Amino acid sequence: MRRIIVPVFVLTALFCLLAASAALAAPEAPKDPVEMKYPDDGNKYAPIMFMHTDKHLGVAGGCATCHHKWDGKAEITGCRVEGCHSDTSREMKREPTSYDSAFHSKDAKMSCVGCHTANLKDNPDFKGPKKCNDCHSKK
């Protein structure tokens, strides 16, 4: 019996140590709202003030679900960095590299609309935004 208990105890302790170090290494999400505004929209819409709520922070995959290019070590950047969603043109707005697609792709669970659509499908009582005007308001 002792031959089993000691290795199980050691493995459990190692697992707890690894889990604790991963939790400590995770960056702290902004406590204040983050202003998100589509560049070059002619000030048609008011900026969206995004809060990293407990529901967002509790998403499986953590920060890397939305910040999908993040390596887990470097500082987290916004979506408009080169090599991610830097294309702000209206002509290419449905392309995966477009800024619009980062938030509005219905097929990508890492986008706001994709995640909210999946949540609504799984849970009809989903309380998050469901329509465009739930996030976007005209100035």
Side-chain angles (χ1 to χ4, degrees), residues 17 33 45 53 72-73 82 84 90 99-100 107-108 124 127 132:
L17 190 63
Y45 295 103
T53 64
K73 299 172 193 150
E82 193 60 41
C84 199
R90 293 288 181 193
Y99 187 74
D100 187 84
D107 300 324
K127 302 289 185 220
C132 299

Side-chain angles (χ1 to χ4, degrees), residues 78-135:
C79 299
R80 246 177 68 194
V81 297
E82 193 60 41
C84 199
H85 299 281
S86 55
D87 187 343
T88 60
S89 68
R90 293 288 181 193
E91 301 79 36
M92 302 296 283
K93 75 183 221 175
R94 294 296 170 226
E95 294 299 316
T97 56
S98 79
Y99 187 74
D100 187 84
S101 178
F103 308 102
H104 300 103
S105 173
K106 291 179 182 172
D107 300 324
K109 285 197 175 186
M110 66 192 74
S111 81
C112 302
V113 171
C115 186
H116 289 192
T117 300
N119 275 301
L120 185 59
K121 183 179 178 183
D122 294 342
N123 177 11
D125 295 328
F126 175 65
K127 302 289 185 220
K130 300 175 187 92
K131 302 177 296 195
C132 299
N133 290 349
D134 290 346
C135 290

Side-chain angles (χ1 to χ4, degrees), residues 53-75:
T53 64
D54 289 342
K55 288 182 182 175
H56 294 111
L57 299 175
V59 169
C63 303
T65 299
C66 299
H67 300 278
H68 58 100
K69 295 274 186 166
W70 181 55
D71 64 4
K73 299 172 193 150
E75 185 176 332

Side-chain angles (χ1 to χ4, degrees), residues 1-42:
M1 180 76 161
R2 188 169 187 220
R3 286 184 181 171
I4 294 172
I5 291 175
V6 172
V8 168
F9 176 75
V10 170
L11 287 173
T12 302
L14 283 173
F15 176 77
C16 291
L17 190 63
L18 285 172
S21 65
L24 292 174
E28 191 169 315
K31 301 226 181 305
D32 295 326
V34 175
E35 182 178 275
M36 298 168 66
K37 180 167 179 21
Y38 197 90
D40 309 322
D41 77 345

